[in-house]
Amino acid sequence: MSFQSSPVSKNITWHHGKLTDGQREEKLGQKGVVIWFTGLSGSGKSTVAREVELALIENGRNAFVLDGDNVRHGLNKNLGFSPADRTENIRRIGEVAKLFAQANVVCLTAFISPYKADRDAVRALLGPGQFIEIYCAATADECEARDVKGLYKKAKAGEIKEFTGVSAPYEPPDKAELVLETGGKETLEQSTRRVLALLQQQGII
Ligand code: ADX
């Protein structure tokens, strides 16, 4: 299944609700948006996303993190790490994130999402200003030096195949709305504050 393919089912009809997007936003007092974190495994995507989620919820905003490892335990438990499976992973998450945004939730996603074309396809699924791409710019060497989950060691030993940054590619974004220096140049607090400042600037919070 690709991003562009038509539904396999025929005889299906789109149903509209009783509220326009604008009415929903007004009644709920909150805009939906997708904050898409991308970067290598161990680059800090989930850590920053969870800090931002906490800060938003403490400020009365409905926010929710979709996390790579977690989603692969459920919705995407049938997917591995081949290029095609990674694309399908991101396609499904893109659709789920869009549903969250339509429900006026601030949806934070933390997936490696190594392919530029896949991230751009999710951007295209969402309306203007509804997709904010944040690159966690820690390098493979910096992630390997931390190696929180011990996966770089295993990948280098050949125990994990197609490991991003070691034996599988990562394509950095060239038009990310924000680049976080999560390799060590900035602290978690600084990265979190920069994301919140961007959300404020864009009128999301
Ligand atoms: S993605 O490439 O399809 O976007 P995703 O974010 O869902 O990846 O999952 C990445 C997580 O799976 C990593 O943080 C790591 O914990 C784990 N993982 C296991 N095998 C691999 C692999 N071959 N490449 C990258 N990550 C892997």
Side-chain angles (χ1 to χ4, degrees), residues 153-195:
K153 191 162 173 251
K154 284 191 183 166
K156 287 263 162 110
E159 289 165 34
I160 307 177
K161 307 281 174 233
E162 298 186 283
F163 192 78
T164 312
V166 175
S167 44
Y170 177 79
E171 301 168 0
D174 47 28
K175 55 169 183 250
E177 274 76 4
L178 190 63
V179 178
L180 299 176
E181 299 299 340
T182 52
K185 287 193 206 88
E186 62 191 40
T187 62
L188 175 58
E189 290 68 33
Q190 285 170 325
S191 299
T192 306
R193 251 187 277 122
R194 290 184 63 210
V195 176

Side-chain angles (χ1 to χ4, degrees), residues 81-171:
F81 291 94
S82 67
D85 277 10
R86 289 184 201 246
T87 293
E88 178 61 8
N89 185 37
I90 298 313
R91 189 191 70 79
R92 290 185 200 169
I93 296 311
E95 294 286 0
V96 171
K98 181 178 175 177
L99 293 173
F100 272 84
Q102 284 174 336
N104 296 60
V105 175
V106 177
C107 181
L108 305 131
T109 69
F111 295 80
I112 297 176
S113 43
Y115 300 120
K116 211 170 142 324
D118 295 346
R119 297 190 303 264
D120 286 347
V122 178
R123 185 186 285 274
L125 268 182
L126 287 140
Q130 272 206 312
F131 180 86
I132 295 178
E133 190 173 9
I134 301 184
Y135 177 34
C136 291
T139 64
D141 285 348
E142 289 165 340
C143 295
E144 190 183 339
R146 294 200 282 245
D147 207 3
V148 189
K149 305 175 196 162
L151 299 179
Y152 283 86
K153 191 162 173 251
K154 284 191 183 166
K156 287 263 162 110
E159 289 165 34
I160 307 177
K161 307 281 174 233
E162 298 186 283
F163 192 78
T164 312
V166 175
S167 44
Y170 177 79
E171 301 168 0

Side-chain angles (χ1 to χ4, degrees), residues 50 59 66 70 74 110:
R50 293 204 177 276
N59 275 287
L66 298 174
N70 293 3

